[in-house]
């Protein structure tokens, strides 16, 4: 008798069974679903572990201390002097971290430095404000600094008389934040960028490191307060401290990679070299010389003009000579004073432009005559200014200005 049953060649699909209007899932289907969820969970866990190992646990070279490598934090490293110091440090094999809020610095300078030194672990830039103690502490906790070069500061005498609280906050308070983070994270070397403005208007020239400090403007006063904090702290620690009081900075990188490019709104308060170049380029109708009745040989202020390349060299030598538990204080200048009128004539020759000059009343907070005695820094750090030809320093800076009419924007064709 033939069987009426039949053999299934294909398994019956899973389906729900309806009993009295209620659906009951097929147990086989449920077990399959649970298995898929478990597999997905396992795969997700594996992916997370792989990602953690490959990326989340990545150790930045800037967070490590390496034998033979000195890691320097350069505050204000996007600025005029700070960027030149960074260039020199990188050329000498240092590892550098720049911290700058770009209020006066230029991201264009940072990009040039990154292009010159693209190797991993050489240079990093961190956008931050030194007034933010939490952010500064985080930076110190995530990076293994060996030393700090503290340049970051507003630095215009005239502006300081208009906005004194801004200067005390930016210079004095921010230096305190840096010191606190250095102490908390055991960073024991500080090279501090100070100024001859802390001396005020001494009765006797040239200025030595023992000259009494009696600043006459908020810029100089704020810097002296910062110095006092550093010196007081150094008495209770084994920190290596170098304080460099430098004079009027001019010039730029001799190879034309970096220059000075202050924000346009600060042209009125900027350095005399910048004002000369603006007048030579026609950006300003002329040069304003403030004060012609000082007790000097031609009635204008006398200053000691130091080339930025020499200034940076002094900082590097100070870093090399810094010793734990010791403090070094040095004037950084040429030892020769030049009047503002002499400077203007040198600028005319350097640019080849007959710059129009307007003579105006004195600027508040200025002093008649300031120039250094560089004997101490020569004897102790073996440093001497080499770029002392005023016209030549201005010519180097002028070449950069002509080639970068928009500052660190698009370079123009280099002119002779």
């Amino acid at each position: 008798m033939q069987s009426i049953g039949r053999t299934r060649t294909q398994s019956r699909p899973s389906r729900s069974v309806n009993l009295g209007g209620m659906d009951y899932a097929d147990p086989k289907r449920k077990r399959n679903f649970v298995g898929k969820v478990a597999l997905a969970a396992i795969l997700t866990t594996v992916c997370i572990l792989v990602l953690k190992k490959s990326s989340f646990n990545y150790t930045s070279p800037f967070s490590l201390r390496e034998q033979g490598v000195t890691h320097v934090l350069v505050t204000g490293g996007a600025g005029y002097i700070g960027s030149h110091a960074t260039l020199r440090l990188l050329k000498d094999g240092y590892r550098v971290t720049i911290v700058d809020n770009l209020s006066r610095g230029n991201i264009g300078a940072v990009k040039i430095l990154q292009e010159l030194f693209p190797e991993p672990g050489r240079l990093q830039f961190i956008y931050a404000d030194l007034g933010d103690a939490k952010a500064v502490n985080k930076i110190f906790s995530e990076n293994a600094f060996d030393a700090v070069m503290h340049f970051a500061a507003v630095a215009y005498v005239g502006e300081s008389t208009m906005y004194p609280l801004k200067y005390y906050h930016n210079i004095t308070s921010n230096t305190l934040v840096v010191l606190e983070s250095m102490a908390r994270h055991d960073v024991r070397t500080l090279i501090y960028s100070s100024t001859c403005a802390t001396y005020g208007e001494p009765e006797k020239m040239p200025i030595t490191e023992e000259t009494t400090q009696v600043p006459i403007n908020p810029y100089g006063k704020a810097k002296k307060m910062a110095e006092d904090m550093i010196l007081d702290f150094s008495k209770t620690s084994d920190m290596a401290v170098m304080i460099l009081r430098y004079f009027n900075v001019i010039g730029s990188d001799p190879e034309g990679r970096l220059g000075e490019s202050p924000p346009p709104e600060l042209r009125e308060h900027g350095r005399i070299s910048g004002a000369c170049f603006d007048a030579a380029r026609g950006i300003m109708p002329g040069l304003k010389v403030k004060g012609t009745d000082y007790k000097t040989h031609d009635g204008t202020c006398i200053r000691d003009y130091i080339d930025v390349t020499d200034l940076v060299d002094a900082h590097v030598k100070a870093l090399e000579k810094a010793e734990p538990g010791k403090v070094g204080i040095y004037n950084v200048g040429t030892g020769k004073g030049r009047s503002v009128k002499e400077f203007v004539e040198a600028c005319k020759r350097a640019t080849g432009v007959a710059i129009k000059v307007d003579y105006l009343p004195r600027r508040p907070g200025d002093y008649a005559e300031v120039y250094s005695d560089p004997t101490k820094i020569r004897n102790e750090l073996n440093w001497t200014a080499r770029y002392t030809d005023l016209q030549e320093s201005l010519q180097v800076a002028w070449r950069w200005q002509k080639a970068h009419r928009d500052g660190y924007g698009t370079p123009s064709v280099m002119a002779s």
Side-chain angles (χ1 to χ4, degrees), residues 45-326:
T45 302
V46 171
C47 288
I48 290 173
L49 291 173
V50 171
L51 285 171
K52 279 187 174 181
K53 185 174 182 180
S54 63
S55 60
F56 296 135
N57 284 350
Y58 167 73
T59 302
S60 166
F62 294 93
S63 67
L64 301 174
R65 281 196 166 86
E66 296 182 30
Q67 188 173 2
V69 178
T70 301
H71 185 182
V72 182
L73 166 61
V74 179
T75 69
Y80 169 45
I81 300 171
S83 61
H84 283 76
T86 299
L87 175 61
R88 169 63 186 273
L89 289 168
L90 290 167
K91 286 173 64 178
D92 286 2
Y94 290 88
R95 173 176 291 162
V96 179
T97 292
I98 291 173
V99 172
D100 202 303
N101 68 1
L102 300 178
S103 62
R104 308 247 162 142
N106 292 277
I107 193 62
V110 176
K111 289 179 178 177
I112 288 171
L113 292 167
Q114 289 173 330
E115 290 170 0
L116 290 171
F117 301 92
E119 302 88 357
R122 295 302 316 280
L123 171 66
Q124 70 170 336
F125 171 74
I126 299 175
Y127 175 83
D129 192 314
L130 296 183
D132 185 342
K134 185 176 179 181
V136 173
N137 185 63
K138 184 173 185 288
I139 291 168
F140 273 81
S141 68
E142 294 176 350
N143 294 275
F145 299 128
D146 297 297
V148 175
M149 277 193 183
H150 184 27
F151 292 100
V154 285
Y156 296 130
V157 169
E159 186 190 36
S160 78
T161 63
M162 298 169 61
Y163 308 106
L165 296 184
K166 176 179 183 177
Y167 272 67
Y168 290 118
H169 177 83
N170 180 274
I171 295 173
T172 312
S173 297
N174 287 4
T175 298
L176 176 60
V177 172
V178 172
L179 279 176
E180 289 174 334
S181 286
M182 290 182 70
R184 188 175 295 117
H185 298 280
D186 199 29
V187 181
R188 301 183 181 183
T189 301
L190 174 64
I191 313 301
Y192 184 61
S193 168
S194 193
T195 172
C196 64
T198 63
Y199 293 113
E201 194 168 11
E203 295 180 0
K204 183 180 178 182
M205 288 291 141
I207 295 173
T208 71
E209 289 77 4
E210 285 70 43
T211 298
T212 304
Q213 291 175 287
V214 188
I216 63 173
N217 53 60
Y219 171 54
K221 292 175 183 178
K223 282 286 189 179
K224 184 180 184 301
M225 287 182 183
E227 282 191 17
D228 290 342
M229 284 193 306
I230 293 168
L231 295 174
D232 285 343
F233 175 64
S234 70
K235 294 172 185 176
T236 63
S237 73
D238 62 349
M239 180 180 287
V241 173
M242 292 291 205
I243 295 174
L244 303 185
R245 297 171 184 158
Y246 46 86
F247 290 66
N248 293 63
V249 188
I250 60 171
S252 63
D253 170 42
E255 295 183 38
R257 295 162 294 189
L258 299 171
E260 183 178 14
S261 181
E265 64 272 16
L266 294 174
R267 293 186 190 279
E268 180 183 352
H269 302 294
R271 305 175 203 279
I272 185 173
S273 56
C276 279
F277 296 147
D278 285 346
R281 290 166 55 189
I283 295 174
M284 303 296 286
L287 176 64
K288 298 176 180 179
V289 173
K290 298 179 180 180
T292 58
D293 59 347
Y294 291 98
K295 293 181 179 179
T296 60
H297 68 274
D298 62 15
T300 62
C301 296
I302 290 178
R303 297 289 183 266
D304 189 341
Y305 296 98
I306 176 77
D307 192 286
V308 68
T309 302
D310 283 329
L311 178 61
V312 165
D313 184 52
H315 280 77
V316 174
K317 281 186 165 58
L319 177 59
E320 293 170 347
K321 297 281 188 178
E323 296 182 35
K326 294 187 178 181

Side-chain angles (χ1 to χ4, degrees), residues 29-43:
R29 183 178 180 183
K30 184 175 182 180
R31 285 196 299 272
N32 189 40
F33 174 74
V34 172
K36 289 180 178 178
V37 171
L39 179 61
I42 292 170
L43 290 173

